[in-house]
Amino acid sequence: TVGRFRGRAGSAYDCARLGSEPVPWGLAFPCLVAGLAIAFWTLLRLVLFGMVGPSQAGWGSLPFVLLKGLWFDLATAAWLVAPFLLVHALAPVRWRASRIWKALRLLALWACTAFLLFGAVAEVVFWEEFSTRFNFIAVDYLVYTHEVLGNIRQSYPMGLIFGGIGRAALVITWLGARFTRFPDTTLSW
């Protein structure tokens, strides 16, 4: 739903609603992307904690792990949404109101979701193999790309994994677009 939001100077501008609070129009999409990223990373942290086992990691460490992880996630999310904010700030108003812009926004949301899911799946697989998060071993994977990709293709059904990630990203994008409304009107300064 589109509502009116009063800025500091008292000027009204269009906004989108994420949940019950109004979010300024230019921030609704980056807020959605940042929220998805933080949710994925927190869920990944909980999955890895569960894989280690609470008896081994200790329940007392969970709040510290979650809070420290959230701190790093917020910084990373700021870098993640910075390009979207820059593009929005530099794009002409008539572009931002076009249907092509809306389609590109959905495509960008799908791509971000797919990359986040891919990273989470890769980290879980890496954890199962080496009992640690990405580290210098992952850098070696980048150095010896040809050999590593050959081993991965032999060991995992990559078509099914990529297909599952793509479908899950499509469902999440559909839900995000369904429950987050972006106004058709544009900001007027």
Side-chain angles (χ1 to χ4, degrees):
T1 58
V2 177
R4 301 300 284 177
F5 180 85
R6 293 259 174 220
R8 284 189 191 169
S11 62
Y13 55 95
D14 294 318
C15 65
R17 290 195 181 274
L18 268 172
S20 61
E21 292 297 315
V23 176
W25 187 86
L27 296 179
F29 180 74
C31 284
L32 179 60
V33 171
L36 282 173
I38 290 170
F40 283 154
W41 295 328
T42 302
L43 184 60
L44 173 63
R45 202 167 283 111
L46 289 170
V47 166
L48 295 177
F49 183 82
M51 290 173 70
V52 167
S55 60
Q56 187 177 1
W59 284 107
S61 66
L62 185 60
F64 174 74
V65 167
L66 291 177
L67 286 174
K68 188 173 182 182
L70 178 63
W71 177 254
F72 285 110
D73 291 349
L74 289 170
T76 306
W79 282 99
L80 178 67
V81 300
F84 296 117
L85 293 171
L86 182 64
V87 167
H88 179 77
L90 297 177
V93 173
R94 69 175 185 274
W95 288 9
R96 294 192 312 250
S98 71
R99 290 180 186 205
I100 292 172
W101 187 267
K102 292 174 189 176
L104 289 174
R105 185 173 48 218
L106 287 175
L107 181 63
L109 180 59
W110 178 85
C112 284
T113 304
F115 282 127
L116 288 167
L117 285 170
F118 177 79
V121 168
E123 192 141 358
V124 168
V125 169
F126 192 87
W127 183 275
E128 287 177 344
E129 182 78 22
F130 299 106
S131 299
T132 184
R133 295 192 80 172
F134 289 142
N135 58 14
F136 68 91
I137 299 171
V139 174
D140 285 345
Y141 275 26
L142 296 174
V143 173
Y144 303 105
T145 307
H146 182 70
E147 294 84 1
V148 169
L149 288 178
N151 289 341
I152 290 172
R153 283 190 203 116
Q154 290 175 357
S155 302
Y156 299 100
M158 296 310 297
L160 292 174
I161 292 172
F162 286 143
I165 288 172
R167 277 187 236 107
L170 188 63
V171 168
I172 293 168
T173 299
W174 178 77
L175 289 171
R178 180 163 166 75
F179 293 110
T180 304
R181 297 287 179 230
F182 303 100
D184 293 333
T185 57
T186 59
L187 291 174
S188 59
W189 299 99

